Amino acid sequence: MADEALLEAVLPKPAVRELMSEYGSVQQALLQTYPQELEQIRGIGPVKARQLQYLCELAKRIYRADSKLPPVIRGPQDVFERFVDMQHLPVEQFRVLYLNTKNGIIAEETVSQGTLNAVLVGPRELFRRAVRLMSAIVILVHNHPSGDPSPSREDIVLTKDLATAGDILGIDVADHLIIGKGRYVASRRKG
Protein backbone atom coordinates (compact mmCIF):
# COMPACT_ATOMS: atom_id res chain seq x y z
CA MET A 1 0.00 0.00 0.00
CA ALA A 2 2.87 2.40 0.76
CA ASP A 3 4.33 1.59 -2.67
CA GLU A 4 1.10 2.63 -4.33
CA ALA A 5 1.00 5.92 -2.44
CA LEU A 6 4.61 6.62 -3.36
CA LEU A 7 3.96 5.96 -7.03
CA GLU A 8 0.75 8.04 -6.97
CA ALA A 9 2.90 11.04 -6.09
CA VAL A 10 4.42 10.92 -9.59
CA LEU A 11 1.83 9.03 -11.67
CA PRO A 12 -1.93 9.24 -12.23
CA LYS A 13 -4.00 6.78 -10.15
CA PRO A 14 -5.21 4.76 -13.19
CA ALA A 15 -1.57 4.15 -14.24
CA VAL A 16 -0.66 2.99 -10.73
CA ARG A 17 -3.66 0.61 -10.64
CA GLU A 18 -2.72 -0.84 -14.01
CA LEU A 19 0.91 -1.39 -12.92
CA MET A 20 -0.22 -3.03 -9.68
CA SER A 21 -2.75 -5.32 -11.39
CA GLU A 22 -0.32 -6.28 -14.17
CA TYR A 23 2.80 -6.88 -12.06
CA GLY A 24 1.59 -7.25 -8.48
CA SER A 25 3.91 -4.62 -7.01
CA VAL A 26 5.64 -1.41 -7.91
CA GLN A 27 9.05 -3.03 -7.51
CA GLN A 28 8.21 -5.85 -9.91
CA ALA A 29 6.77 -3.41 -12.44
CA LEU A 30 9.91 -1.30 -12.45
CA LEU A 31 12.30 -4.25 -12.37
CA GLN A 32 10.62 -6.28 -15.10
CA THR A 33 9.60 -3.69 -17.67
CA TYR A 34 11.32 -1.70 -20.35
CA PRO A 35 10.57 2.00 -20.86
CA GLN A 36 8.71 1.14 -24.06
CA GLU A 37 6.33 -1.09 -22.09
CA LEU A 38 5.74 1.58 -19.47
CA GLU A 39 4.95 4.11 -22.21
CA GLN A 40 1.98 1.95 -23.27
CA ILE A 41 0.24 2.55 -19.93
CA ARG A 42 -2.13 5.49 -20.02
CA GLY A 43 -0.68 8.45 -18.11
CA ILE A 44 2.96 7.43 -18.57
CA GLY A 45 4.75 9.06 -21.46
CA PRO A 46 8.26 8.52 -22.80
CA VAL A 47 9.85 11.03 -20.39
CA LYS A 48 8.12 9.63 -17.28
CA ALA A 49 8.96 6.05 -18.37
CA ARG A 50 12.66 6.92 -18.65
CA GLN A 51 12.59 8.71 -15.29
CA LEU A 52 11.08 5.65 -13.61
CA GLN A 53 13.71 3.39 -15.15
CA TYR A 54 16.52 5.69 -14.04
CA LEU A 55 15.11 5.81 -10.51
CA CYS A 56 14.89 2.03 -10.46
CA GLU A 57 18.50 1.71 -11.62
CA LEU A 58 19.60 4.21 -8.99
CA ALA A 59 17.77 2.22 -6.29
CA LYS A 60 19.48 -0.99 -7.43
CA ARG A 61 22.90 0.65 -7.27
CA ILE A 62 22.23 2.03 -3.81
CA TYR A 63 21.08 -1.40 -2.66
CA ARG A 64 24.20 -3.07 -4.07
CA ALA A 65 26.45 -0.48 -2.39
CA ASP A 66 24.65 -0.90 0.95
CA SER A 67 24.81 -4.68 0.77
CA LYS A 68 28.60 -4.78 0.51
CA LEU A 69 30.31 -5.64 3.75
CA PRO A 70 32.67 -2.97 5.11
CA PRO A 71 36.40 -3.68 5.44
CA VAL A 72 37.12 -5.63 8.63
CA ILE A 73 39.86 -5.01 11.20
CA ARG A 74 41.39 -8.34 12.18
CA GLY A 75 44.09 -7.03 14.49
CA PRO A 76 46.50 -4.21 15.35
CA GLN A 77 48.55 -4.72 12.17
CA ASP A 78 45.47 -3.84 10.07
CA VAL A 79 45.05 -0.64 12.07
CA PHE A 80 48.74 0.25 11.72
CA GLU A 81 48.62 -0.28 7.95
CA ARG A 82 45.54 1.94 7.71
CA PHE A 83 47.17 4.77 9.70
CA VAL A 84 50.81 4.34 8.67
CA ASP A 85 50.85 7.96 7.44
CA MET A 86 50.77 9.10 11.08
CA GLN A 87 54.40 8.06 11.60
CA HIS A 88 55.47 11.10 9.57
CA LEU A 89 53.34 13.76 11.28
CA PRO A 90 55.31 16.55 13.03
CA VAL A 91 52.78 16.83 15.87
CA GLU A 92 50.66 14.37 17.82
CA GLN A 93 47.32 13.53 16.31
CA PHE A 94 44.52 11.43 17.79
CA ARG A 95 42.25 9.44 15.50
CA VAL A 96 39.39 7.04 16.12
CA LEU A 97 38.25 4.07 14.07
CA TYR A 98 34.53 3.32 14.53
CA LEU A 99 33.53 -0.33 14.05
CA ASN A 100 30.32 -2.36 14.00
CA THR A 101 29.80 -5.54 16.04
CA LYS A 102 31.70 -7.61 13.43
CA ASN A 103 34.76 -5.29 13.42
CA GLY A 104 33.64 -3.77 10.12
CA ILE A 105 34.72 -0.17 9.62
CA ILE A 106 31.87 2.33 9.84
CA ALA A 107 34.01 5.50 9.82
CA GLU A 108 37.23 7.09 10.99
CA GLU A 109 37.88 10.56 12.32
CA THR A 110 40.68 12.81 13.53
CA VAL A 111 39.45 13.83 16.97
CA SER A 112 42.31 16.08 18.01
CA GLN A 113 45.62 17.50 16.91
CA GLY A 114 48.14 18.56 19.49
CA THR A 115 51.74 19.62 19.86
CA LEU A 116 55.08 17.94 19.48
CA ASN A 117 54.56 15.81 22.59
CA ALA A 118 50.92 16.11 23.71
CA VAL A 119 47.37 15.88 22.47
CA LEU A 120 44.17 16.64 24.40
CA VAL A 121 41.29 14.21 24.04
CA GLY A 122 38.09 14.19 26.04
CA PRO A 123 35.49 11.44 26.17
CA ARG A 124 32.71 13.81 25.08
CA GLU A 125 34.33 14.56 21.72
CA LEU A 126 35.47 11.01 21.18
CA PHE A 127 32.20 9.23 21.91
CA ARG A 128 29.79 11.80 20.42
CA ARG A 129 30.28 10.44 16.92
CA ALA A 130 30.43 6.83 18.10
CA VAL A 131 26.97 7.20 19.60
CA ARG A 132 25.60 8.88 16.46
CA LEU A 133 27.06 6.15 14.23
CA MET A 134 25.74 3.39 16.51
CA SER A 135 29.30 2.12 16.72
CA ALA A 136 29.79 -0.93 18.95
CA ILE A 137 33.58 -0.73 19.04
CA VAL A 138 36.19 2.01 18.79
CA ILE A 139 39.91 1.75 18.25
CA LEU A 140 42.01 4.68 19.40
CA VAL A 141 45.13 5.66 17.47
CA HIS A 142 47.69 8.37 18.07
CA ASN A 143 51.27 9.00 17.07
CA HIS A 144 54.50 9.93 18.79
CA PRO A 145 56.48 12.29 16.53
CA SER A 146 59.65 11.27 18.40
CA GLY A 147 59.39 7.90 16.65
CA ASP A 148 59.26 5.89 19.90
CA PRO A 149 55.79 4.34 20.31
CA SER A 150 56.30 3.46 23.97
CA PRO A 151 53.26 4.65 25.95
CA SER A 152 53.78 7.47 28.43
CA ARG A 153 52.10 7.50 31.82
CA GLU A 154 49.58 10.01 30.38
CA ASP A 155 48.82 7.63 27.48
CA ILE A 156 48.07 4.80 29.91
CA VAL A 157 45.80 6.98 32.07
CA LEU A 158 44.01 8.31 28.99
CA THR A 159 43.41 4.79 27.67
CA LYS A 160 41.98 3.63 31.00
CA ASP A 161 39.75 6.71 31.31
CA LEU A 162 38.40 6.35 27.78
CA ALA A 163 37.84 2.60 28.25
CA THR A 164 35.85 3.36 31.41
CA ALA A 165 33.75 5.97 29.58
CA GLY A 166 33.19 3.48 26.77
CA ASP A 167 32.02 0.84 29.26
CA ILE A 168 29.45 3.27 30.63
CA LEU A 169 28.12 3.92 27.11
CA GLY A 170 28.28 0.27 26.05
CA ILE A 171 31.00 0.98 23.48
CA ASP A 172 34.04 -1.28 23.62
CA VAL A 173 37.41 0.45 23.42
CA ALA A 174 39.05 -2.49 21.67
CA ASP A 175 42.56 -1.10 21.46
CA HIS A 176 44.75 1.98 21.58
CA LEU A 177 47.61 1.99 19.11
CA ILE A 178 50.52 4.35 19.46
CA ILE A 179 52.37 4.76 16.19
CA GLY A 180 56.07 5.57 15.97
CA LYS A 181 58.55 5.38 13.10
CA GLY A 182 57.89 2.07 11.36
CA ARG A 183 56.39 0.41 14.44
CA TYR A 184 53.55 0.60 16.91
CA VAL A 185 52.51 -0.44 20.38
CA ALA A 186 49.01 -1.83 20.96
CA SER A 187 47.61 -1.35 24.44
CA ARG A 188 45.80 -4.70 24.35
CA ARG A 189 49.12 -6.49 24.01
CA LYS A 190 50.73 -4.34 26.69
CA GLY A 191 47.83 -4.85 29.12
Side-chain angles (χ1 to χ4, degrees), residues 99-104 136-137:
L99 308 175
N100 63 24
T101 56
K102 301 287 186 185
N103 291 337
I137 303 164

Coordinates of all heavy atoms in Angstrom, one line a residue, residues 99-104 136-137:
L99 N 33.8 1.0 14.6 CA 33.5 -0.3 14.1 C 32.1 -0.8 14.5 O 31.6 -0.4 15.5 CB 34.6 -1.4 14.6 CG 36.0 -1.0 14.4 CD1 36.9 -2.1 15.0 CD2 36.4 -0.8 12.9
N100 N 31.6 -1.7 13.6 CA 30.3 -2.4 14.0 C 30.6 -3.6 14.9 O 31.8 -3.8 15.2 CB 29.5 -2.7 12.8 CG 30.2 -3.7 11.8 OD1 31.0 -4.5 12.2 ND2 29.8 -3.6 10.6
T101 N 29.6 -4.4 15.2 CA 29.8 -5.5 16.0 C 30.7 -6.6 15.4 O 31.2 -7.5 16.2 CB 28.4 -6.2 16.4 OG1 27.7 -6.5 15.2 CG2 27.6 -5.2 17.3
K102 N 30.9 -6.6 14.1 CA 31.7 -7.6 13.4 C 33.1 -7.0 13.0 O 33.7 -7.6 12.2 CB 31.0 -8.1 12.2 CG 29.6 -8.8 12.4 CD 29.8 -10.1 13.1 CE 28.5 -10.8 13.2 NZ 28.5 -12.0 13.9
N103 N 33.5 -6.0 13.7 CA 34.8 -5.3 13.4 C 34.8 -4.7 12.0 O 35.9 -4.4 11.5 CB 36.0 -6.2 13.7 CG 36.1 -6.5 15.1 OD1 35.7 -5.8 16.0 ND2 36.8 -7.7 15.4
G104 N 33.7 -4.4 11.4 CA 33.6 -3.8 10.1 C 33.7 -2.3 10.3 O 33.1 -1.7 11.2
A136 N 29.7 0.0 17.8 CA 29.8 -0.9 19.0 C 31.2 -1.0 19.5 O 31.4 -1.3 20.7 CB 29.4 -2.3 18.5
I137 N 32.2 -0.6 18.7 CA 33.6 -0.7 19.0 C 34.3 0.5 18.5 O 34.0 1.0 17.4 CB 34.2 -2.0 18.4 CG1 33.4 -3.2 18.8 CG2 35.7 -2.1 18.7 CD1 33.7 -4.5 18.0

